[in-house]
Amino acid sequence: MAYFSTGQDAIERSGKILADVVSALLLLAFAIAFFGWLGGTVAFLLLEGGLLAVEYVLPGDDGDAAAVVR
């Protein structure tokens, strides 16, 4: 799935990147608060990896899912 759709302008793209960075930092802070430094970092990496994998597999507005085999 493309990160940006063709209909987004520069302001929407910047806002999307900023929202993703803030969300990731918030998730990292919660993970460290609940699991400590080492466990929180590992939990954060697993969570972000899972979120990126789901984002890659889901179909976008422009067509089929990225992982579709034809």
Side-chain angles (χ1 to χ4, degrees):
M1 173 171 163
Y3 189 72
F4 299 119
S5 66
T6 55
Q8 290 178 330
D9 60 358
I11 293 174
E12 286 179 295
R13 292 177 186 209
S14 299
K16 186 174 184 179
I17 291 173
L18 181 62
D20 287 345
V21 169
V22 170
S23 297
L25 290 175
L26 186 62
L27 286 172
L28 179 62
F30 281 131
I32 290 172
F34 284 115
F35 302 116
W37 284 102
L38 182 61
T41 303
V42 171
F44 172 75
L45 292 175
L46 289 173
L47 177 66
E48 285 296 319
L51 290 173
L52 289 174
V54 167
E55 181 77 19
Y56 178 75
V57 173
L58 287 177
D61 297 334
D62 299 334
D64 291 333
V68 167
V69 177
R70 293 182 185 209

